[in-house]
Amino acid sequence: ENEDFIDVPVRLFKTRGNVHSLTWAPGGNKIAFVADRKDHSIVGYLELGKTNLNWIDPAFSNDFSPRWSPDGSQLAFIRTPAEGGSVDSLTQRKRIPWAIRKVGLTPSEKSILVWEAPNNYRGSIPTTHGGTNLYWPKQDRLVFTSYHDGWPHIYSVAATGGTPLLLSPGEFMVEHLSVSSDGNTVYFDANT
């Protein structure tokens, strides 16, 4: 047993909240994460070799699912309202709004809206096992899952925003996605 070959874990950073959804940037020199602070969550990233954390357009909201652009120069993420507020009925169905946002890595840069779910109950955040299934497979396209046509389907939207393109039409649910390494193919499972 040679102790010279034992790697000792090193803490990269410390922050408040429960850290999860660690995602390496292309090239492996940055790592994005979510800091969940119970009533809100923040997306951040750390550049290896540096000590300061970079928070991505922090707001009083729930930000999650950080996804790197293929060139590693931007991050996309999902934003929903933070928890809290006035008392609400447990029996009444209500819309849970959500949006896809993206941001460059310049300090204090504000995120921009890429796509926002319709303002109706079908525009609620997907509750299937895969959730929003957000991916950024090509520099100019993002892929996600939404219920806004009545079924949880796959959509593609330009990274600059616009009308999403339905990729999985039909009367069935899509739950999980995977994207090929070249970003040209989307694989999914469905109940049809």
Side-chain angles (χ1 to χ4, degrees):
E1 293 182 30
N2 187 340
E3 291 185 23
D4 294 336
F5 295 105
I6 296 175
D7 285 336
V8 177
V10 175
R11 179 170 44 187
L12 294 177
F13 62 89
K14 182 178 179 181
T15 186
R16 291 184 302 133
N18 179 23
V19 173
H20 60 85
S21 302
L22 300 162
T23 307
W24 287 103
N29 64 336
K30 297 180 210 75
I31 188 166
F33 60 91
V34 174
D36 187 345
R37 296 180 177 172
K38 295 189 182 178
D39 59 352
H40 69 288
S41 58
I42 305 169
V43 172
Y45 76 92
L46 174 71
E47 189 168 351
L48 296 183
K50 300 198 176 173
T51 56
N52 58 318
L53 295 177
N54 301 283
W55 299 109
I56 300 301
D57 191 15
F60 190 65
S61 57
N62 281 315
D63 295 346
F64 56 94
S65 294
R67 300 294 184 259
W68 291 98
S69 62
D71 69 0
S73 69
Q74 299 175 81
L75 275 165
F77 61 95
I78 303 294
R79 177 167 280 175
T80 63
E83 296 177 21
S86 60
V87 177
D88 200 358
S89 170
L90 292 175
T91 59
Q92 184 176 350
R93 292 176 18 169
K94 72 176 195 173
R95 174 180 180 260
I96 302 172
W98 66 288
I100 300 171
R101 302 189 68 84
K102 74 170 186 174
V103 67
L105 304 183
T106 305
S108 74
E109 186 171 342
K110 296 292 183 191
S111 66
I112 61 169
L113 179 66
V114 174
W115 179 81
E116 186 170 27
N119 189 12
N120 57 35
Y121 184 73
R122 286 183 173 180
S124 289
I125 196 157
T127 57
T128 58
H129 289 122
T132 60
N133 286 298
L134 181 63
Y135 287 89
W136 199 336
K138 293 290 212 179
Q139 194 65 28
D140 63 338
R141 302 299 294 181
L142 289 116
V143 176
F144 64 98
T145 304
S146 175
Y147 272 105
H148 70 265
D149 73 348
W151 292 92
H153 282 147
I154 307 167
Y155 292 85
S156 174
V157 67
T160 55
T163 303
L165 173 66
L166 174 61
L167 300 179
S168 61
E171 293 185 0
F172 57 85
M173 313 174 36
V174 169
E175 287 195 288
H176 303 94
L177 301 183
S178 183
V179 176
S180 64
S181 59
D182 65 5
N184 290 325
T185 307
V186 176
Y187 302 98
F188 64 93
D189 61 46
N191 68 346
T192 187

